[in-house]
Amino acid sequence: METAQFIGILDTEGQLLATAAEEAGTDAKVPTCPGWQVRDLVRHTGMVHRWATAFVAERHTSYHPDEGLPDLDGTELMTWFREGHRRLVDTLAGAPADVDCWSFLPAPSPLAFWARRQAHETTVHRYDAESALGGTPSAIAVDVAVDFAVDGIDELLFGFQARKKSAVRTEVPRVLRVRAEDTDAVWTVRLTAGPPVSERGELADPDCELAGPAGELYLSLWNRRPFPDVTGDPSLATLWREKSAIT
C-alpha cells in the first residue's frame, strides 16, 4: 500500500471514531478495552495523534515523549480530538517524502512508517469506539478492507511482535499458522523462548492455525474479537491472547 492510501484511511477512520464516540457518550464503557470509558479512549488516541504529529512536523530524530493526557471531557474533549486528528492528517499529507524523523518499526521511510502506524492505530480504536455503542465485540460489523487488514497483520507480526520486548514465547518450540481465507495471505509464526519469527507462506506444519476473513483476523490478533476459527492446539491461541498486548 502507498503512503497516500494510509493517510486517506487515517482521515476516514479518525472521523468515524469521533462520530461513534460522540454517539456513545464519554461515560460509556468500551468493551474491547476493559476498564476504559470512551473518554479514556479519546484521550489516548488524541494524545497518540499529537505525539506522532510532533515527530514529522518538528523533525525529531530521536525519541520524544508525548505531552500526556488532557484533562478534558465532553464537547471540549471531542473538539480537541478532532483538531489533533486534522493536524496529523494535514501534517502527513504535506510532509516531504524524505522527511527525516524518528520511527520505531521497519519501513521504507519515516513518513511511510507514521502514515501506516497511525492508520492502523486509528482503525483499531475506531472499532473500540463502535464497541461502546452496545452489543458484544463479535457482533460489531468488521469494516476493514482486505488489503489493509493483511498489511496490518504484517505490521503486527513482522514489526511489533518481532521486537525483543514481545512476550509471546514458549520454552518448547511451536508453530502458529495464520490464514486469511478471503485472500491468499498465509503466515508461519515460529514460537520459541525468543521473540516470534514470522514468514509469509506455509513453511512448516503448524501446531495451531488461526483462520478467518482478513478483517476479522486483524482485529482478533489485536485482541478485539474472538478468533474466527482455531484448529490444532488451542493453548497457542490462549498464549496469544494472554501475552501479545502492546503497550
Side-chain angles (χ1 to χ4, degrees):
M1 294 181 63
E2 299 296 325
T3 297
Q5 293 175 280
F6 289 121
I7 296 171
I9 291 169
L10 166 63
D11 191 355
T12 299
E13 293 289 339
Q15 294 180 59
L16 291 172
L17 189 162
T19 298
E22 287 170 337
E23 183 177 345
T26 56
D27 288 336
K29 293 182 179 179
V30 183
T32 52
C33 299
W36 270 15
Q37 293 175 290
V38 166
R39 65 173 58 86
D40 302 304
L41 174 67
V42 175
R43 288 170 179 168
H44 165 79
T45 311
M47 174 274 291
V48 172
H49 285 172
R50 281 168 166 73
W51 180 68
T53 299
F55 285 105
V56 179
E58 300 170 21
R59 310 296 200 263
H60 296 297
T61 55
S62 60
Y63 176 79
H64 189 75
D66 63 70
E67 296 181 355
L69 301 177
D71 186 20
L72 297 173
D73 204 352
T75 300
E76 287 185 330
L77 174 61
M78 297 312 306
T79 298
W80 174 86
F81 174 84
R82 288 182 182 276
E83 289 174 349
H85 169 251
R86 183 77 263 144
R87 181 160 183 249
L88 173 60
V89 171
D90 291 346
T91 296
L92 293 172
D98 62 352
V99 62
D100 183 22
C101 63
W102 181 83
S103 59
F104 62 88
L105 294 178
S109 69
L111 181 62
F113 163 79
W114 284 112
R116 180 197 203 193
R117 175 81 290 278
Q118 291 309 300
H120 288 298
E121 174 89 7
T122 307
T123 297
V124 171
H125 287 320
R126 180 267 297 170
Y127 187 81
D128 293 331
E130 290 178 349
S131 80
L133 294 171
T136 61
S138 60
I140 304 169
V142 179
D143 186 14
V144 181
V146 171
D147 58 346
F148 182 69
V150 168
D151 179 83
I153 295 172
D154 271 349
E155 185 200 42
L156 187 57
L157 296 180
F158 294 104
F160 281 106
Q161 295 301 337
R163 298 183 298 174
K164 291 181 179 180
K165 65 174 67 177
S166 174
V168 183
R169 301 174 184 232
T170 60
E171 291 300 322
V172 177
R174 311 296 298 280
V175 175
L176 179 66
R177 177 177 291 158
V178 179
R179 182 188 302 277
E181 296 177 329
D182 49 353
T183 184
D184 59 359
V186 180
W187 297 263
T188 297
V189 185
R190 300 178 192 273
L191 304 176
T192 66
V197 176
S198 299
E199 301 172 272
R200 277 287 197 106
E202 299 183 38
L203 304 178
D205 292 332
D207 296 295
C208 176
E209 179 171 296
L210 310 176
E216 290 188 37
L217 275 178
Y218 168 69
L219 292 166
S220 298
L221 290 165
W222 276 106
N223 292 323
R224 263 50 185 195
R225 297 173 59 92
F227 288 114
D229 185 40
V230 179
T231 56
D233 184 354
S235 71
L236 295 186
T238 301
L239 174 71
W240 186 275
R241 284 279 185 230
E242 294 178 348
K243 300 296 185 179
S244 69
I246 305 297
T247 57

